[in-house]
DNA sequence: CTGTTAGCGCCTTCAT
DNA sequence: ATGAAGGCGCTAACAG
């Protein structure tokens, strides 16, 4: 009826005694530091394994003295989603400070590969870890790999660079997100048949392209009654998104669904309202912001696919910390889920 | 372009010097321990405030030596959801162990107030914190309050006892969960009008009652075309749930929606399939388990309202730890969201 | 290559 | 009511 989940506490000293060496040697082996005879290494490793010894994090933290430095490299523009992430990092300051963790924000033009790459290079050396909202481009990949080679821990945030050797990606599976959007548009549109519009920032952005891909997958296979119109590009800007959508709405009277892949939500909503069709068209978009929250409550938007920015901020920090300490990562905990947010489960 | 988020590191010694007292005295004040003249307390507190001093957690952890003991008091039956929580606690064992944390599982009959209360009383003294899946009953409330008075940190898990003085509740807002379920059933049923069935474990359970309340709210206000049938009670058992539902389905040919409030999902699904109506009826239930996952993939279930059991397990541990250390709680992080899970965003 | 040693910042007796 | 001093388990600098 009662069962205990944790083991007891051995220390470095115990291992040292058991392996017949000194503290320092065990420490060297533990951290793969050079200067130990291969044979000794083996003996020590054996002792560590045998007792499944785990060093006490608090003691290690205390002893190293030096605070750790992490950098967050983020887009410089006024992107509300990114601002939310920064906001949540700010809320963690007390948490960070009692752990002697320093995080520095670096704003940069993430859409210009060379600028981004330069910002990353500049960090080399004085950082233990960096989280970056990255563009998937060869020079960015190279910059990331250089950091990794220099011993810096790197996680990509929100947008991945799978071809690089980054240690971890903190963000959602965008293809699945697109599929989810598709299923929602299809199911909420009910029995109706008709046309479905897609507004994206740019199909050149990896995450947008992946979402559209997933969306189309579901549409084609599960909702044959709905036909998807060619993708509109609004560059994540309100004005432009509004214009292109307004034109499309004027042309097609039988649009029953709308998927807004990126930002520019304000403009999309305006086009819909101005056409007087905000109640008939099923409107699904991304992310919960002050704006989308309002649109959901008003019934203009029907659902938002969301990646919890607070979770992403905290996961990035925790993962960097775990990597720096050499601790295992709780993958399940750090995985970012695709949230479906409707009016009644607004966070 | 670069901004730093954390402060620099003062130590106890600095504060001691500044307040003109010794280390020990500052420590006493910091932990509200007795034996310090009120006047001295004030001086020390002032110095702490003035520098917004925060003790280094790692050092504190190291110095106290003694491991902390937490207990999880959970239902003894084979409830899959609870088993998931236990599973995730198990996955944390490495995390727990490097922090010298001990967690003990206590299985008990949470449906019998006196048994539950006794289990709680038994913990008094040898535990730093307890997480309990509680029944909202006077004797349970008393047991919780006793623990709190004895200095044990208490969090309620999944099911709250708001009238007690527990330090924290880790779980979802069940009324909002019910509303979400209602919105989903209503919207996914499309334009159709017809009847909606509800199967619950028991209306005596606080969480079930709250969910039903929220569900009815939404149905009444937003889906006048749908009429809700009287609640069926299946005691969270498969057989019983199947029987009562089968009978209801036979009686009403125009059921278009079904809300399964608690467990017994297997039985509910069977009744639906046996009646050959699993494709026409919109079926919404709770929690993602092996079973509901399968039903979602098969298209028998349309959506599951879920409270991430992994998140709940970890949040409970983190909150207990923060409470024990006197650290602030990251409320946003520990809040449990209401997840809508459909086929394409299955975690 | 390996061992010794002096802390890291705080908590906890034990004296005063 | 207050202070002094010895660790907690690990790291890192310095000897050997």
């Amino acid at each position: 009826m009662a069962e205990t989940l944790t083991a007891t506490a051995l220390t470095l000293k115990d291992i040292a005694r058991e392996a017949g060496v000194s503290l320092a040697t065990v420490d060297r082996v533990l951290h793969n530091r050079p200067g130990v005879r291969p044979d000794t290494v083996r003996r020590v490793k054996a002792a560590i394994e045998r007792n499944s010894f785990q060093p006490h994090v608090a003691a290690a933290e205390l002893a190293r003295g030096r605070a750790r430095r992490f950098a967050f490299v983020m887009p410089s523009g006024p992107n509300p989603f990114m601002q939310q992430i920064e906001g949540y990092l700010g809320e963690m300051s007390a948490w960070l400070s009692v752990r002697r963790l320093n995080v520095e924000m670096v704003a940069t033009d993430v859409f210009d590969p060379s600028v981004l790459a330069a910002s990353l290079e500049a960090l080399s050396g004085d950082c233990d870890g960096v989280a970056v909202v990255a563009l998937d481009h060869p020079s960015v990949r190279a910059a990331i790999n250089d950091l990794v080679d220099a011993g810096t821990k790197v996680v990509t945030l929100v947008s991945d660079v799978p071809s690089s050797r980054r240690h971890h990606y903190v963000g959602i599976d965008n293809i699945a997100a697109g599929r989810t959007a598709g299923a929602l548009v299809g199911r909420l549109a009910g029995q109706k048949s008709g046309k479905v519009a897609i507004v994206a920032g740019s199909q050149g952005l990896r995450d947008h392209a992946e979402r559209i891909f997933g969306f189309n997958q579901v549409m084609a296979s599960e909702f044959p009654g709905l036909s998807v119109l060619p993708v509109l590009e609004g560059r994540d800007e309100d004005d432009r998104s509004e214009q292109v959508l307004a034109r499309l709405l004027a042309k097609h009277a039988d649009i029953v669904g709308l998927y807004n892949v990126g930002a520019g939500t304000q403009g999309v909503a305006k086009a819909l309202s101005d056409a007087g069709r905000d109640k008939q068209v099923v409107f699904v978009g991304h992310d919960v912001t002050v704006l989308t929250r309002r649109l959901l409550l008003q019934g203009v938007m029907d659902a938002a696919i969301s990646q919890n920015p607070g979770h992403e901020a905290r996961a990035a920090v925790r993962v960097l910390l775990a990597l720096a300490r050499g601790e295992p990562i709780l993958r399940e905990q750090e995985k970012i889920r695709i949230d479906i947010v409707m009016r009644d489960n607004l966070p």
Side-chain angles (χ1 to χ4, degrees), chain A:
Chain A
M1 129 158 186
E3 173 202 350
T4 285
L5 284 178
T6 39
T8 30
L10 284 178
T11 74
L12 256 195
K13 219 192 312 189
D14 301 317
I15 303 298
R17 191 165 10 82
E18 183 160 334
V21 296
S22 76
L23 274 190
T25 301
V26 181
D27 188 71
R28 290 186 183 102
V29 174
L30 212 48
H31 300 289
N32 310 306
R33 269 192 281 267
V36 185
R37 215 183 319 131
D39 173 54
T40 316
V41 172
R42 230 171 316 102
R43 264 213 333 279
V44 174
K45 281 208 164 141
I48 292 178
E49 286 301 320
R50 191 154 2 101
N51 302 282
S52 57
F53 165 74
Q54 291 169 307
H56 189 167
V57 278
E61 211 53 46
L62 179 57
R64 61 193 304 288
R66 196 171 62 80
R68 292 186 205 275
R69 302 174 50 71
F70 296 152
F72 274 66
V73 180
M74 315 259 302
S76 45
N79 181 325
F81 181 72
M82 298 302 167
Q83 284 167 353
Q84 286 184 67
I85 292 190
E86 295 184 33
Y88 285 115
L89 281 173
E91 283 183 16
M92 292 182 76
S93 65
W95 189 95
L96 294 167
S97 123
V98 296
R99 289 170 179 72
R100 302 290 189 267
L101 260 28
N102 272 76
V103 1
E104 177 183 329
M105 304 299 308
V106 178
T108 191
D109 183 354
V110 298
F111 292 105
D112 183 331
S114 59
V115 174
L116 211 202
S119 296
L120 289 175
E121 303 289 6
L123 259 24
S124 190
D126 59 14
C127 258
D128 301 281
V130 357
V132 53
V133 178
L135 194 69
D136 192 3
H137 181 280
S139 63
V140 174
R141 187 198 335 137
I144 290 178
N145 288 343
D146 286 351
L147 279 175
V148 171
D149 289 333
T152 304
K153 307 302 178 187
V154 179
V155 313
T156 46
L157 188 57
V158 178
S159 177
D160 195 13
V161 187
S163 60
S164 72
R165 301 206 311 284
R166 87 278 185 282
H167 298 89
H168 201 90
Y169 165 56
V170 173
I172 59 172
D173 173 345
N174 281 299
I175 296 184
R179 280 207 309 272
T180 305
L184 280 168
V185 167
R187 301 252 1 208
L188 293 179
Q191 323 294 33
K192 289 187 261 188
S193 68
K195 302 203 177 101
V196 173
I198 300 182
V199 181
S202 154
Q203 297 190 72
L205 293 171
R206 187 184 184 92
D207 50 348
H208 286 205
E210 289 181 344
R211 289 173 186 178
I212 293 169
F213 178 83
F215 187 86
N216 284 329
Q217 252 185 2
V218 166
M219 279 297 150
S221 66
E222 288 180 47
F223 302 100
L226 299 175
S227 71
V228 179
L229 296 167
V231 175
L232 303 175
E233 300 202 346
R235 293 195 193 158
D236 282 355
E237 294 159 17
D238 291 330
D239 291 351
R240 201 181 165 87
S241 301
E242 180 184 345
Q243 288 162 21
V244 292
L245 179 57
R247 209 170 307 137
L248 193 78
L249 286 168
K251 195 150 49 176
H252 302 273
D254 56 345
I255 291 180
V256 297
L258 166 61
Y259 176 32
N260 186 36
V261 182
T265 312
Q266 179 99 270
V268 169
K270 183 148 190 305
L272 217 47
S273 307
D274 287 354
R277 299 214 240 156
D278 49 351
K279 302 295 175 191
Q280 300 103 354
V281 175
V282 171
F283 173 15
V284 172
H286 278 267
D287 299 330
V288 177
T289 63
V290 270
L291 175 63
T292 56
R293 171 183 292 274
R294 179 151 43 81
L295 294 173
L296 284 168
L297 288 171
Q298 291 171 343
V300 175
M301 269 185 83
D302 296 277
I305 312 294
S306 137
Q307 45 185 329
N308 188 332
H311 189 192
E312 284 182 319
R314 292 182 295 264
V317 172
R318 279 193 306 253
V319 169
L320 284 177
L321 184 55
L323 287 167
R325 287 176 172 169
E327 280 186 298
I329 294 173
L330 289 178
R331 300 200 75 84
E332 159 77 19
Q333 166 170 232
E334 310 308 355
K335 180 172 173 191
I336 309 297
R337 294 203 182 197
I338 298 166
D339 295 334
I340 299 175
V341 178
M342 297 174 68
R343 189 206 299 194
D344 294 291
N345 71 327
L346 267 169

